Amino acid sequence: MNQTSPWDLLIRRAHLATLAAKSGLGELVDGAIALREGRIAWLGADRDLPAGANVGAELDAERRWVLPGFIDCHTHLVYGGNRSLEHEMRLEGASYAEIAQAGGGIRSTVAATRIAGEEELLAASAPRLRALMSEGVTTVEIKSGYGLDLETERRMLRTARRLGAENPVRVVTTYLGAHAVPPEYAGRPDDYLDFVCGTVLPALRAEGLADAVDAFCETIGFTPQQVGRVLAAARALGLPVKLHAEQLSDQGGAALAASAGALSADHLEHLGEAGARAMAAAGTVAVLLPGAFYCLRETLRPPVELLRSCGVPMAVATDHNPGTSPLSSILLAMHLACTLFGLEISEALAATTREAARALGLAAEVGTLAVGKRADLVLWEIERPAELCYHLGLVPTHHRIFDGALSDVPRP
Ligand SMILES: [Zn+2]
């Protein structure tokens, strides 16, 4: 025991679910966890606490459960306007593709985002972020992709960075230029991708605004060949990549992502066996997004059995976006992953902690309770961890600790 460097906080009488083992929850009943300088310094059974431990503050968890902070690894949280009108249209029978072809969909959000200033975007996005934080989220990925020009993409990513700087939450940014073809490039998708790869990507990279690069591989998005260009340009700049793949059809996007060494391929309702095998071989995480599946009333579920049998790690995220998943609840995302996709409780909890960290390339830093990792953790007012995938609308967050510091549970 290093007596010159005390623990900043010791949490005692806690039930821990470390999520650190390959399977199961890593449950440790009557445990304790010590934090120092924003990291986990010690954890184990309460009775095994080292004698003479030098403790700053102590918190009695009163037998509450402690889990790693949740990680929402796929969101489009920053945008202008909203698309409740399309919700109405969809209720009247219009499909996602029909709405897109009618000039709605992504393009209507692009128009609203282009005219929104940074302060406006920040004010619109903060309540969405606070809703996630109130449910124990400590890391959020935020994509651009509603500007499609350099100035607006930069403003979206700057807004995402500010959300991270101004709130006790870790924000990871992703440039999603290849989300849609903007109106000024209508009918010229390859010219637009020249601009994305040759101008926007290098600029955002130089400004340190993008931690990763994503693209939308779909009949109403970009072809595998076009997406391949974007991923290659990102890799050439040293940026990790990910891909929206196999959401509405099987384009071979998952295999393409895997061949580019992607961190994740996301959606995957139409994933086939070749794609799953390629993902397993490359260590590419399958990010399942039940919010979009639910809102679009899809019926073909992602092949969870295939992913399991191939050994592809599974993450779950909200996919918060104004069109197809206006979902600001990680607890509901987990509930839907269980009820709609058939995930088991231990899979769903790993999917928003350990595997979500892997999907962001942050597995060494966050996602489990383990010595040396960032001290992002949440105390829950529950009797069993399964309750986190069970309640609908009840949010049993008790205490939230970000980077070793206790923070209030925000109210949206
Ligand atoms: Zn998405």
Side-chain angles (χ1 to χ4, degrees):
M1 182 55 47
N2 181 357
Q3 291 297 315
T4 59
S5 180
W7 291 335
D8 299 322
L9 180 65
L10 172 64
I11 304 167
R12 299 195 63 175
R13 294 214 301 153
H15 299 326
L16 309 180
T18 66
L19 276 306
K22 188 101 178 94
S23 64
L25 299 176
E27 297 179 35
L28 179 57
V29 170
D30 292 322
I33 183 164
L35 317 178
R36 179 168 49 214
E37 290 169 2
R39 292 189 185 264
I40 297 170
W42 187 91
L43 64 82
D46 199 289
R47 64 175 178 278
D48 293 337
L49 268 170
N54 189 349
V55 177
E58 198 170 303
L59 177 69
D60 184 353
E62 299 172 319
R63 302 220 151 83
R64 293 185 180 89
W65 279 89
V66 178
L67 272 78
F70 288 130
I71 298 168
D72 194 352
C73 67
H74 180 140
T75 86
H76 308 250
L77 199 81
V78 172
Y79 53 85
N82 74 61
R83 303 234 293 269
S84 58
L85 177 63
E86 281 173 31
H87 181 56
E88 259 184 292
M89 283 174 67
R90 213 173 282 122
L91 288 170
E92 290 161 8
S95 72
Y96 185 21
E98 283 165 351
I99 288 170
Q101 280 155 14
I106 290 169
R107 273 173 283 176
S108 67
T109 298
V110 170
T113 305
R114 283 182 172 182
I115 58 169
E118 192 170 312
E119 297 302 324
E120 195 181 331
L121 286 176
L122 193 71
S125 309
R128 304 166 194 147
L129 179 66
R130 282 199 296 272
L132 292 173
M133 290 166 60
S134 74
E135 296 192 348
V137 169
T138 48
T139 299
V140 185
E141 184 256 17
I142 300 178
K143 302 176 195 294
S144 69
Y146 293 122
L148 308 177
D149 57 21
L150 174 59
E151 213 33 65
T152 314
E153 292 289 302
R154 178 189 275 144
R155 193 161 68 249
M156 289 183 74
L157 293 170
R158 256 199 222 132
T159 303
R161 286 272 192 253
R162 276 184 65 187
L163 286 167
E166 295 173 13
N167 294 280
V169 68
R170 217 173 289 290
V171 169
V172 178
T173 60
T174 301
Y175 170 54
L176 177 58
H179 195 194
V181 178
E184 60 274 21
Y185 283 95
R188 297 186 294 129
D190 291 302
D191 291 347
Y192 173 59
L193 294 182
D194 287 343
F195 170 66
V196 164
C197 298
T199 303
V200 187
L201 242 177
L204 298 176
R205 174 80 175 101
E207 292 164 30
L209 284 171
D211 298 321
V213 173
D214 194 352
F216 185 33
C217 186
E218 192 51 70
T219 49
I220 58 168
F222 293 89
T223 67
Q225 195 199 4
Q226 290 168 335
V227 163
R229 282 183 59 199
V230 177
L231 302 189
R235 295 310 307 255
L237 291 169
L239 288 168
V241 297
K242 52 187 66 184
L243 191 63
H244 285 67
E246 269 78 286
Q247 181 185 8
L248 307 170
S249 61
D250 187 356
Q251 299 283 308
L256 175 72
S259 72
L263 290 170
S264 69
D266 303 30
H267 285 291
L268 302 175
E269 278 80 351
H270 291 255
L271 178 71
E273 191 172 337
R277 293 206 181 285
M279 288 177 68
T284 298
V285 178
V287 178
L288 307 180
L289 305 168
F293 175 92
Y294 167 77
C295 289
L296 292 170
R297 292 160 180 72
E298 295 288 345
T299 52
L300 181 66
R301 299 186 291 176
V304 167
E305 276 298 331
L306 175 67
L307 293 167
R308 277 190 197 123
S309 67
C310 291
V312 179
M314 292 184 284
V316 166
T318 62
D319 189 20
H320 179 100
N321 77 75
T324 60
S325 186
L327 172 61
S328 307
S329 168
I330 196 76
L331 296 177
L332 185 53
M334 285 191 284
H335 181 99
L336 293 175
C338 293
T339 53
L340 299 179
F341 295 167
L343 261 62
E344 295 174 5
I345 298 296
S346 60
E347 289 175 322
L349 289 170
T352 50
T353 55
R354 183 181 70 236
E355 305 307 344
R358 194 198 305 261
L360 296 178
L362 292 176
E365 285 286 294
V366 293
T368 66
L369 301 182
V371 170
K373 287 217 173 166
R374 287 275 168 196
D376 294 356
L377 44 102
V378 179
L379 276 69
W380 295 98
E381 196 78 69
I382 53 175
E383 291 180 20
R384 307 176 63 240
E387 284 185 54
L388 297 172
C389 307
Y390 160 74
H391 297 291
L392 285 166
L394 181 74
V395 181
T397 327
H398 185 260
H399 264 108
R400 191 178 174 282
I401 295 175
F402 174 71
D403 226 11
L406 269 172
S407 63
D408 288 337
V409 175
R411 296 298 159 207

